[in-house]
Amino acid sequence: MAPRLGKGVIEDVAQVAAGCDSVARACNAAVSVLHGHTGAAVDVLLLGPGQLSVVAFSGAWQAPAAVPSHYGVVGHVLATGRPAAIDDASIAYSGLHAGRPVGSVVCAPLSERPDPPIGVVNIEFDHVVTDPVLWAEELAEVGLRLRRRIDELGGLPAESRAELLLRHTLMFATAHSGVQLAEMACRAAVELTGLGGATVLTRRATPRGEPQHPLRQTAVHTAAGASDLPTRVAELPPDVLSALVDAVCRHGASHTLGDPSGEDVRGFEPLVQAGVRTLLAFPVRGTAPDPRLEVAMLVMDELQVRVDAGTVTVLELLMANAAECYDRLGALHQMQALAETDPLTGLRHVGPFTERLAAARAGRTALLVIDVDNFKQVNDRLGHAAGDRLLVDLATGMRDCLRQRDELFRVGGDEFVAVLEVRDDAEAIRVADRLVAAARDSGSAVSVGVALRRPDEPAEATLRRADLAMYTAKQDPQYAVWPAE
């Protein structure tokens, strides 16, 4: 069993790191010393965008390339800036290294207060050690020495353009909406080019010869310390921006080559007057034959910056990827809507209703179970096509009489449920009366059971009470609406 690190090992780490000419070599040298002394698995992880990258490792044949920045003890150390130890990590770290036992784990930050940590140094023993907390305290001194050497070497290695491009490409795939995707694209453009700001301008595509739809600024990102040029540009006259978007979408990407004071800026005068000295313009379009939108991205700076042609090409490819992600996102949302929507009435059905039911609030959410009276006779006497028309007309009439915050679901053949946000039972009953009147206007009759969720009552129990109340109303022709017991 190896003795604790002690001053000698700490000084050895500092000495070998001092002789290295890069951050990666310094980290690997430190790991080599620590592994040679302990025989344990030792790693150094440096902070990157959203994760910790393993830049040096020794003591096991295979190591992960990166781990989430919140993962386990390393995430705790990164968040607190203090060393930590796990006396026996055999359960928490089980299977981390196939076939290799896990004992104590000690971890320390690469930090020098008051600066936050830039990473961690971690030792994973294959046995339980004595006084792991004291090990962690000594490892913290190693972390301090290694941090100082990393700072002397210029700090964390810069992200390469390929890494930056891959990171943003992967992020695009996580977008949940077109606006979020546009915001990601603006941030990517600013980080990739080093320019001060970016904006996405969007308008709905129209057939040639028809009046164009108005432009809107979908997203914007401005680098820290830069002027808010995107907002200034978005405030330019609509015809100026429209002409610019026309040119971008028709001719493709373009970029400035010099100081606008000495170049021909005809057609761009309003941009120059707004303070733009450098401008990159990109169409954002996928491969769809009939795009729904015309989208242009403008990346700009108040300084004269010469952006190399390679960066322009890379950014154009990145915007094409963003457009493809938008097309896939639209198709995904369309499929999701089809999966959640009743094709006959257009109302959402059981799946979304179950989610909405789970969010019902005690004393505030009322459930109205609605059943069509004598629906079977309509089908038997007039046929199923007439029954379908009845349901469509009924659903339209009831939906139109609801308030904006309420929703109507079709949960069965001729059964509907309205979910309302109300102040009390009386308000819920007033809405139920309106539904009965709307059904009557559409040529139908319905029975409605009303239940307001009680404190500590499961939402499913509220639904059962409303369902029982509906059957009570159906049995008494004098009452179309019945409040639940």
Side-chain angles (χ1 to χ4, degrees), residues 356-370:
R356 182 65 184 85
L357 182 63
R361 298 185 299 164
R364 289 292 182 183
T365 303
L367 303 179
L368 278 56
V369 174
I370 306 155

Side-chain angles (χ1 to χ4, degrees), residues 166-175 181 184 187:
L166 180 59
R167 173 164 63 86
H168 283 294
T169 299
L170 293 174
M171 283 181 62
F172 288 171
T174 68
L181 181 61
M184 289 179 175
R187 180 180 291 274

Side-chain angles (χ1 to χ4, degrees), residues 368 370 394 397-406 420-422 426-442 446 448 450 480-481:
L368 278 56
I370 306 155
L394 176 63
M398 291 195 299
R399 180 174 49 198
D400 290 346
C401 81
L402 286 176
R403 303 163 303 180
Q404 187 173 8
R405 62 183 180 272
D406 302 329
L420 319 177
E421 295 302 317
V422 296
E427 184 179 358
I429 290 173
R430 287 195 297 272
V431 175
D433 288 335
R434 287 209 306 270
L435 290 172
V436 170
R440 190 180 302 117
D441 291 343
S442 71
V446 296
V448 184
V450 182
V481 176

Side-chain angles (χ1 to χ4, degrees), residues 18 36 84 122-123 143 165 171 173 181 195 217 236 278 319 333 407:
N122 194 57
I123 303 178
L165 183 64
M171 283 181 62
L181 181 61
L195 299 183
Q217 187 178 48
L236 292 174
T278 302
M319 293 307 104
H333 285 172
E407 188 167 8

Side-chain angles (χ1 to χ4, degrees), residues 118-434:
I118 61 170
V120 299
V121 56
N122 194 57
I123 303 178
E124 298 166 5
F125 294 91
D126 60 4
H127 58 276
V128 174
V129 301
T130 305
D131 297 329
V133 174
L134 296 179
W135 275 92
E137 291 174 356
E138 291 182 339
L139 192 61
E141 183 64 25
V142 172
L144 173 62
R145 301 294 188 91
L146 187 56
R147 165 66 186 267
R148 288 174 177 172
R149 182 55 185 155
I150 291 173
D151 287 345
E152 290 171 354
L153 291 167
L156 293 175
E159 195 174 20
S160 70
R161 188 163 74 178
E163 291 170 333
L164 182 67
L165 183 64
L166 180 59
R167 173 164 63 86
H168 283 294
T169 299
L170 293 174
M171 283 181 62
F172 288 171
T174 68
H176 299 296
S177 68
V179 171
Q180 185 184 26
L181 181 61
E183 291 170 349
M184 289 179 175
C186 286
R187 180 180 291 274
V190 169
E191 290 188 12
L192 191 63
T193 62
L195 299 183
T199 186
V200 169
L201 301 174
T202 306
R203 73 179 173 213
R204 191 170 299 280
T206 55
R208 187 177 296 276
E210 293 188 11
Q212 291 178 333
H213 290 279
L215 280 171
R216 65 187 181 94
Q217 187 178 48
T218 304
V220 63
H221 179 72
T222 302
S227 295
D228 190 9
L229 284 178
T231 298
R232 277 189 244 161
V233 168
E235 292 171 348
L236 292 174
D239 60 324
V240 171
L241 292 178
S242 185
L244 182 58
V245 171
D246 287 342
V248 173
C249 291
R250 187 181 309 118
H251 299 299
S254 63
H255 59 111
T256 56
L257 297 175
D259 184 350
S261 62
E263 304 292 343
D264 185 348
V265 296
R266 280 177 292 182
F268 297 95
E269 295 92 340
L271 290 171
V272 175
Q273 292 167 7
V276 177
R277 294 294 176 268
T278 302
L279 176 68
L280 311 182
F282 300 89
V284 184
R285 56 192 175 205
T287 56
D290 297 309
R292 293 171 291 165
L293 298 174
E294 294 174 328
V295 184
M297 167 172 280
L298 307 182
V299 193
M300 61 202 80
D301 205 296
E302 61 186 335
L303 304 175
Q304 179 195 338
V305 180
R306 178 67 66 89
V307 179
D308 68 90
T311 298
V312 175
T313 301
V314 167
L315 190 53
E316 188 173 19
L317 292 172
L318 189 63
M319 293 307 104
N321 177 259
E324 287 297 320
C325 287
Y326 178 80
D327 289 343
R328 288 196 297 272
L329 188 64
L332 179 63
H333 285 172
Q334 187 176 17
M335 288 188 292
Q336 184 176 4
L338 289 173
E340 294 182 348
T341 304
D342 169 36
L344 178 65
T345 63
L347 299 177
R348 297 208 296 166
H349 52 49
V350 176
F353 170 66
T354 301
E355 295 177 6
R356 182 65 184 85
L357 182 63
R361 298 185 299 164
R364 289 292 182 183
T365 303
L367 303 179
L368 278 56
V369 174
I370 306 155
D371 191 82
V372 183
D373 296 339
N374 304 314
F375 183 68
K376 185 176 184 302
Q377 287 88 325
V378 173
N379 276 336
D380 292 344
R381 195 160 41 85
L382 301 176
H384 289 284
D388 287 348
R389 286 195 298 274
L390 181 152
L391 291 175
V392 171
D393 293 343
L394 176 63
T396 302
M398 291 195 299
R399 180 174 49 198
D400 290 346
C401 81
L402 286 176
R403 303 163 303 180
Q404 187 173 8
R405 62 183 180 272
D406 302 329
E407 188 167 8
L408 182 66
F409 300 86
R410 184 187 180 195
V411 296
D414 63 335
E415 189 168 314
F416 302 82
V417 178
V419 182
L420 319 177
E421 295 302 317
V422 296
R423 291 183 294 273
D424 50 33
D425 296 271
E427 184 179 358
I429 290 173
R430 287 195 297 272
V431 175
D433 288 335
R434 287 209 306 270

